[in-house]
Each structure stands twice: as structure tokens, then as C-alpha cells.
Amino acid sequence: MTTAEITQRAHGFADLPGLIARMTGAEKHVPAANSTLDALWVLYDRVLRVSPETADSAERDRFLLSKGHGPMSYYAVLAAKGFIPVETLDTFGAYDSPLGHHPDRLLVPGVEIGSGSLGHGLPLAVGTALGLRAQGLTGQAVWVLIGDAEFDEGSNHEAVAFAGAAGLEQLNVIVIDNSSATHGWTGGIAARFAGEGWSTATVNGRDHEELYAAYTAAHPGRPHAVIARVEPKN
Amino acid sequence: METMRDRFIDVTSRMLDEDPRLAVVLADISAAGFAGAAAAHPDRVVNVGIREQLMIGAAGGLALTGMRPIAHTFASFLIERPFEQVKLDLGHQGVSAVLVSAAGSYDWPAGGRTHMAPGDVALLDTLPGWTVHVPGHPDEAELLLRDAAAAGDDKVYVRLSAHRNELARPVAPGKFLTLRQGSRGVVLAVGPMLDAVLAATEGLDVTVLYAATVRPFDGEGLRAALGERAEVVIVEPYLAGTSAGEAHAALADRAHRVLGLGVPREEHRHYGSIEEHLRAYGLDAGSLRERISLQLW
């Protein structure tokens, strides 16, 4: 099989470790990258209505990676789904590469936001949901992925309270919970969302069927939070 | 007397009727004034409550969907408090918004330091591409707000203040206006500082320029106004020296002097009125006349 044939064939979940292995360096980001792998794959493979062909369409679903650290899983999924050439992964972190150690929306097709500084994705997603609704685009979902330690950021709490009060049904949050928040969250993260009127589900973040069921659960009139628990970081 | 903020609420409410791309994001400040507009356009007038980080983030998200957001609160909470959001949720995402402030540097001295933002324009100077309008009258504010709303892909800051000039001037966005001509140098008055500058320079042989837009800085206008003496005094209603670097850049190829007058860095732990604070800062007409005369004679 030639390189071109490998590039063009459809990729599955089993290909992701190999794609991630093409990116080198930034070893400290590897655990962070792996924590999101299953959640991202199930979302892109089975739920999110966006493709390389519709990446600029107003009617696409939006996925905002807020937890911009350790984006290797994200890049691997984007490559597997054809948003970026697989070969691009080899350039990860290089001066002329579009793939930085934090993603940049102006450099990578299909990337909705530039992220890295924590606590920006959820407020941006709130605005995106408001913007879609104001334009009558009510069938489009807005997804944002944050980490449990990122949930520490006050800007997220501003967004959680407002989105619940405003009943932003189009908004969906995935929280990857690898118990990395310094002080933890008493009662669990879902309770914080539920307290602000969100629909919530807490699932095993490695179980694809559980993730799929949580992603596709109906939540009329309310935003939805899926807490995906994975093995602790330390 | 009508304030620029009153006019902002009025003209923005009308622009919402005219332009479906516009949206207003508020953080409780001025929400009562926008009640009518919110009733008419519930999806395009959003009050997020006292959440300024979210206000700017939401404006960025609205812009990502193609809308033209206008975000508004006091300058301290619009620029200084959520500064990283201004940097990342707008600029870094490659999207834009119109940020409209009120209260400026000294609008509510009785409120104390927490409601004073003399560093707002200097802070925006650390970011690329911001247009900054500093109108001195409600009529100028309306013109510049309409221009900002229509400036599709521009990041625009409109700085409104209760401090205003008696008369509106025929300003054009981005251009300095010549109000007086003289030979000993140029005094550039920014926004609401104009009346005091005109009084301070009465009978002096100087050119008076008026700026209602400070970024981009009309360096060409400044150069054209200078005679043989490249002497410049800039009087600004925010941090002293904020525009000095722009003036130096405009005059880089000739020997020149620039004096920047404005609000000092030191905190004034006094309450009172706008007039008392302008006097304390040396920005009343009498103090300005002394400082301008010392520089230009």
C-alpha cells in the first residue's frame, strides 16, 4: 500500500494512536491529549454534523475545543475525518506548521476557535449559540469541550449560570473529568451544571456507547452537560 | 443635558431596527435604557448580567456566526476587567466587535477609583488593529457610532463620557480637524478636552487640532498642520502621554518635541466633581494655558 492510499482510505478509531504517534514533542501534553480521545471520536464519528465539505457552512454544527492543551487527539481526529491531510501531523509544533501545541482557528480548517488560555471556549460558545438563534439557525448544535481543572476558571461559571437561565438549548458542554482540579468539585461537576438548570449526564469517558447515549439525550429548553470521567491524571 | 450615553442608547436602538446583523450585549449597565429595544429584538439584545468576561466572550461568539456585536458597559469593566477576553475572544479569533464604554476616566469621581479607567486606550494600544473614537459631543458620538456599526470587519472602541464640549464639530472618522491656525506649534485636543483647550489657547499663536478619532492616529493631519516648528502638545481625557508614541512615529523624520497632557498615573484619593478632578489633574483651562505656554514659548 502506498502512502497516498493510506492517506485516502477512511480512518477508524483504531487508527488514532498511529496518527497521534506522528506528532512528536510536548511529552507533558500526552496524558491531556489521551483523556479526550474517546469523547472526541464519538462526537466527530457519530454526532457532529460537520465535514470538510461543510466546514464553512452557516448550517454546520460547531465544535469548540476550549481545553486547547494537548490537542493531539483533536488533530488526529481532524486528520482521520479528512479536515487536514494526515501528513500535516508530522509537522506538529514546527515553525511553518498549522498545528501548534494550542490550536489556531485561522490556521487549521475545521477548527472553530483558537484556544489555550483556559476559560474562553464556553463563553464563546454561548455567543455562538446566541448568534445562531438570532439568525434563525435553531437546528444547529454548539458543542464545547472543557477540562475539569479548566472548570475552575470564573469565566466558565459566568457562562454556566447565564446559559442555564437563558435556556440555551443549542449549547452542549463536554467536561473531561480526570480529577485534575487542584481543589476538586464537592458533589461532582454535574451538580454545578444541574444547579443552574442544565440537563446533565455523567458517563464513563472511555465507553463509546455511554458517550453516544449521553450526547444524543434529549434536553428540550435546556443546555446540556456531559461529564466524561476518565482515569485520574496523577 | 443629553449625554453621549443617552444618545448611544437611542441611536443603537434605532440601528437595531435597521440592521439585522447588529446585536447588543450588556452586563446590566444601561439595560433599563435598552428595555424597549430588547422587547422589539429579544434575540439581539442580550443582557448577561454582571458578567463582563462572558459579555466579551459572547460578543466574540456572536461575531463568529457573522453578527456585528456591540458590547457596552463602563470603561473599567469593558476594557480593563476582561482584557484577556478582548485580546483573545476578538482579536485572536480574527473577529471583531464594537465596544462602547461610558464613565471614562473621571465621570463619577464620587464613585472613586473603582469606576475610573484612564488606562483603557493605552491598554488597547497593546493590541493590533483597534479603531478608537473619542467623541466630544452627542452628535459626534452618533456619527461615530453609525460609522462603527457599519465598519464590518473593524474592531472599534467608542469611548463615551459625561464630560462633553458645548458644540458639536464637523468631524470625519479618522481625521483631525483644524479649528485654529498659528505659528508656534500645534495643540491637539482629544474629544471632551476641546472646550478647555480652546479657552486655554485664546489669543495664543498656535494651531488647534481636534481629534474625535485617535486610532488610527491621523499622522498626516498632524504633519500638515505643523509649520517650521515641530512643537506638539496633546491634551487627552485619559492617561497622559497615551498618544505621544503615535505623534513621535508621525514625526520620526524631523526634530520635534511632544508634550503629552492628560490624566496622571497617580491615584487621586479624592471624590467630588468632574471639574474638581480636571483641576487636580491640571486639565482645566487655566492650568492648560500655563503648561501649553511654557512648552510653546
Side-chain angles (χ1 to χ4, degrees):
Chain A
M1 195 182 284
T2 66
T3 307
E5 283 166 337
I6 294 170
T7 302
Q8 282 161 16
R9 75 178 171 80
H11 292 277
F13 182 71
D15 295 315
L16 295 180
L19 295 174
I20 290 173
R22 297 181 75 138
M23 292 169 268
T24 56
E27 289 304 318
K28 72 188 176 76
H29 282 162
V30 169
N34 287 336
S35 69
T36 61
L37 189 63
D38 301 85
L40 282 171
W41 177 256
V42 174
L43 186 72
Y44 268 87
D45 194 46
R46 299 170 68 179
V47 177
L48 205 64
R49 289 163 301 179
V50 65
S51 67
E53 292 72 36
T54 62
D56 294 320
S57 160
E59 295 175 7
R60 71 190 184 277
D61 285 347
R62 268 70 165 180
F63 171 72
L64 283 61
L65 181 76
S66 185
K67 193 186 82 65
H69 305 61
M72 285 114 90
S73 293
Y74 183 44
Y75 292 149
V77 170
L78 288 175
K81 291 297 178 187
F83 289 89
I84 54 175
V86 165
E87 294 73 25
T88 308
L89 300 175
D90 301 338
T91 69
F92 180 61
Y95 181 76
D96 287 325
S97 175
L99 308 181
H101 292 191
H102 299 125
D104 186 331
R105 71 177 295 269
L106 298 187
L107 298 179
V108 192
V111 167
E112 299 282 359
I113 60 166
S115 58
S117 180
L118 301 176
H120 289 264
L122 186 48
L124 282 166
V126 164
T128 302
L130 290 170
L132 292 175
R133 190 176 74 180
Q135 294 171 76
L137 297 166
T138 54
Q140 284 64 38
V142 180
W143 290 84
V144 57
L145 185 146
I146 68 175
D148 70 299
E150 181 179 8
F151 194 58
D152 289 357
E153 293 283 2
S155 52
N156 280 331
H157 296 268
E158 293 187 5
V160 169
F162 171 77
L168 286 184
E169 183 181 326
Q170 284 169 271
L171 181 64
N172 302 269
V173 175
I174 302 167
V175 186
I176 302 297
D177 183 2
N178 62 353
S179 305
S180 60
T182 295
H183 297 290
W185 289 97
T186 307
I189 289 175
R192 307 296 171 121
F193 283 93
E196 300 296 347
W198 288 56
S199 154
T200 69
T202 301
V203 299
N204 176 353
R206 298 301 185 192
D207 186 312
H208 291 196
E209 292 312 315
E210 277 193 39
L211 284 166
Y212 178 75
Y215 288 167
T216 53
H219 49 94
R222 297 197 287 170
H224 185 49
V226 176
I227 291 77
R229 302 185 67 176
V230 297
E231 57 282 6
K233 182 179 173 188
N234 299 311
Chain B
M1 197 186 291
E2 184 193 28
T3 64
M4 294 186 233
R5 183 174 161 197
D6 297 332
R7 184 70 70 88
F8 157 63
I9 293 169
D10 188 43
V11 70
T12 303
S13 297
R14 280 183 278 133
M15 287 195 297
L16 282 162
D17 296 334
E18 299 156 8
D19 184 353
R21 197 176 163 229
L22 288 184
V24 172
V25 193
L26 303 168
D28 274 350
I29 299 298
S30 303
F34 277 104
H41 308 287
D43 283 346
R44 290 193 289 127
V45 179
V46 180
N47 179 10
V48 299
I50 309 169
R51 298 183 174 89
E52 289 86 7
Q53 296 184 72
L54 176 62
M55 177 177 63
I56 302 297
L62 281 154
L64 283 169
T65 70
M67 307 278 290
R68 179 72 166 157
I70 299 175
H72 162 72
T73 183
F74 294 150
S76 341
F77 314 133
L78 183 69
I79 304 295
E80 295 180 332
R81 186 179 188 118
F83 184 69
E84 194 189 63
Q85 277 73 17
V86 174
K87 171 187 160 194
L88 295 180
D89 298 353
L90 298 170
H92 181 57
Q93 305 305 333
V95 295
S96 63
V98 182
L99 306 183
V100 181
S101 72
S105 304
Y106 43 68
D107 271 22
W108 186 31
R113 177 68 171 178
T114 57
H115 285 61
M116 298 177 170
D120 55 349
V121 177
L123 265 175
L124 281 183
D125 271 347
T126 66
L127 303 176
W130 280 88
T131 295
V132 178
H133 297 307
V134 189
H137 185 280
D139 289 354
E140 297 167 11
E142 172 161 355
L143 181 134
L144 295 169
L145 283 162
R146 288 188 176 279
D147 188 75
D153 293 319
D154 290 353
K155 298 182 288 278
V156 187
Y157 179 45
V158 187
R159 189 183 204 268
L160 306 181
S161 175
H163 183 204
R164 50 165 282 186
N165 302 313
E166 187 70 25
L167 301 172
R169 307 288 165 170
V171 297
K175 295 287 175 202
F176 297 164
L177 193 63
T178 306
L179 294 187
R180 264 188 205 156
Q181 284 187 301
S183 68
R184 300 197 68 86
V186 166
V187 182
L188 175 67
V190 175
M193 302 313 302
L194 180 62
D195 279 359
V197 165
L198 287 174
T201 55
E202 185 70 48
L204 300 183
D205 182 20
V206 297
T207 292
V208 175
L209 293 185
Y210 177 52
T213 304
V214 290
R215 302 289 181 280
F217 188 84
D218 184 10
E220 233 173 81
L222 176 62
R223 290 175 67 91
L226 288 170
E228 284 179 17
R229 289 162 59 97
E231 295 275 2
V232 180
V233 178
I234 305 176
V235 186
E236 298 177 284
Y238 35 77
L239 212 58
T242 298
S243 295
E246 297 284 344
H248 286 307
L251 303 175
D253 64 344
R254 61 182 296 189
H256 64 273
R257 287 203 308 168
V258 174
L259 173 65
L261 303 179
V263 177
R265 271 188 177 68
E266 292 71 29
E267 201 180 319
H268 281 239
R269 289 183 186 269
H270 291 277
Y271 299 109
S273 65
I274 291 178
E275 291 70 26
E276 287 170 309
H277 273 252
L278 290 171
R279 215 158 35 241
Y281 306 157
L283 295 175
D284 62 301
S287 308
L288 284 173
R289 188 176 181 90
E290 253 177 60
R291 297 161 85 188
I292 291 167
S293 299
L294 270 175
Q295 180 79 358
L296 300 186
W297 262 262

